[in-house]
Amino acid sequence: MKVVEEIRRLLSSEDKVEKERGIEDIGDRFQYGGMDSPELIEGINLLLAHIPMEKDDAVKESILHSIHNGIVNQDIASDISLDLLVPVLSTFNEEQLTYVLTFMGFSGKGKYRSILEAFLHHSSGEIIEAAKEAIIEIEYRGSNGERR
């Protein structure tokens, strides 16, 4: 089954255990590759679009971890739609927010810098550190001529 079809099926499932396990399996596939970039990007964008609607924190965590696997291991962060998450940043718990800030850094897009800078004054040291690292990552990717 094509990964995008599998993601659609899992996201519509009412069985939270199946949903969480299935998304974790997809995250493993994202991590180790074996699919073409357009399919990977489409799958990650589908997961990103679902995050604001997901009520279960464990499933949301699995989705974020799977996206992280694809972004970090397949270097496609500049091609995904992180803008979907900007309006809902305040709804994330600390661990979820750390993922999203990391995604913004890996995107290499300067437009996220002001958002990241706002988190440099957060009450959580972990969030502050994630924001600092994301800003450094944006600067690094920008200085190496990578897409912004």
Side-chain angles (χ1 to χ4, degrees), residues 65-82:
H65 184 74
S66 292
I67 293 167
H68 184 265
N69 283 350
I71 287 174
V72 171
N73 296 292
Q74 305 304 322
D75 197 28
I76 48 86
S78 63
D79 299 316
I80 61 171
S81 301
L82 293 173

Side-chain angles (χ1 to χ4, degrees), residues 50-96:
H50 182 77
I51 289 172
M53 297 175 280
E54 182 57 54
K55 302 297 182 219
D56 185 87
D57 276 344
V59 172
K60 192 180 285 189
E61 194 76 33
S62 293
I63 291 171
L64 289 165
H65 184 74
S66 292
I67 293 167
H68 184 265
N69 283 350
I71 287 174
V72 171
N73 296 292
Q74 305 304 322
D75 197 28
I76 48 86
S78 63
D79 299 316
I80 61 171
S81 301
L82 293 173
D83 292 348
L84 298 168
L85 300 183
V86 173
V88 296
L89 286 174
S90 64
T91 67
F92 293 121
N93 67 33
E94 191 171 306
E95 192 168 348
Q96 295 164 352

Side-chain angles (χ1 to χ4, degrees), residues 24-38:
E24 287 171 1
D25 289 345
I26 286 170
D28 290 343
R29 289 164 53 193
F30 286 171
Q31 181 174 356
Y32 298 112
M35 65 185 73
D36 61 11
S37 287

